[in-house]
Coordinates of all heavy atoms in Angstrom, one line a residue:
R742 N -58.9 -20.9 74.5 CA -60.0 -21.9 74.9 C -61.3 -21.2 74.6 O -61.5 -20.1 75.0 CB -59.9 -22.3 76.3 CG -60.9 -23.4 76.7 CD -60.6 -23.9 78.1 NE -60.8 -22.8 79.1 CZ -60.5 -23.0 80.3 NH1 -60.1 -24.1 80.8 NH2 -60.7 -21.9 81.2
H743 N -62.2 -21.9 74.0 CA -63.5 -21.4 73.7 C -64.3 -21.1 74.9 O -64.4 -21.9 75.9 CB -64.3 -22.3 72.8 CG -63.8 -22.5 71.4 ND1 -64.3 -23.3 70.5 CD2 -62.8 -21.8 70.8 CE1 -63.7 -23.2 69.3 NE2 -62.8 -22.3 69.5
N744 N -65.0 -20.0 74.9 CA -66.0 -19.6 75.9 C -67.2 -20.5 75.6 O -67.8 -20.3 74.6 CB -66.3 -18.1 75.9 CG -67.2 -17.7 77.0 OD1 -68.1 -18.4 77.3 ND2 -67.0 -16.5 77.5
P745 N -67.7 -21.3 76.5 CA -68.9 -22.1 76.2 C -70.1 -21.4 76.0 O -71.0 -21.9 75.3 CB -69.0 -23.0 77.6 CG -68.3 -22.2 78.6 CD -67.2 -21.5 77.9
N746 N -70.2 -20.1 76.4 CA -71.4 -19.3 76.2 C -71.4 -18.6 74.9 O -72.5 -18.5 74.2 CB -71.6 -18.3 77.3 CG -71.8 -18.9 78.7 OD1 -72.5 -19.9 78.8 ND2 -71.1 -18.4 79.7
T747 N -70.3 -18.2 74.4 CA -70.1 -17.5 73.2 C -69.0 -18.0 72.4 O -67.9 -17.4 72.3 CB -70.0 -16.0 73.4 OG1 -68.9 -15.7 74.2 CG2 -71.2 -15.3 74.0
P748 N -69.1 -19.2 71.8 CA -68.0 -19.8 71.1 C -67.5 -19.0 69.9 O -68.3 -18.4 69.2 CB -68.5 -21.2 70.7 CG -70.0 -21.0 70.6 CD -70.3 -20.1 71.7
W749 N -66.2 -19.0 69.8 CA -65.7 -18.3 68.6 C -65.7 -19.3 67.4 O -65.0 -20.3 67.5 CB -64.2 -17.9 68.9 CG -63.6 -17.2 67.7 CD1 -63.0 -17.7 66.7 CD2 -63.6 -15.8 67.4 NE1 -62.6 -16.8 65.8 CE2 -62.9 -15.6 66.2 CE3 -64.1 -14.7 68.1 CZ2 -62.8 -14.3 65.6 CZ3 -63.9 -13.4 67.5 CH2 -63.3 -13.2 66.3

Side-chain angles (χ1 to χ4, degrees):
R742 187 174 60 185
H743 288 176
N744 182 323
N746 297 316
T747 55
W749 180 273

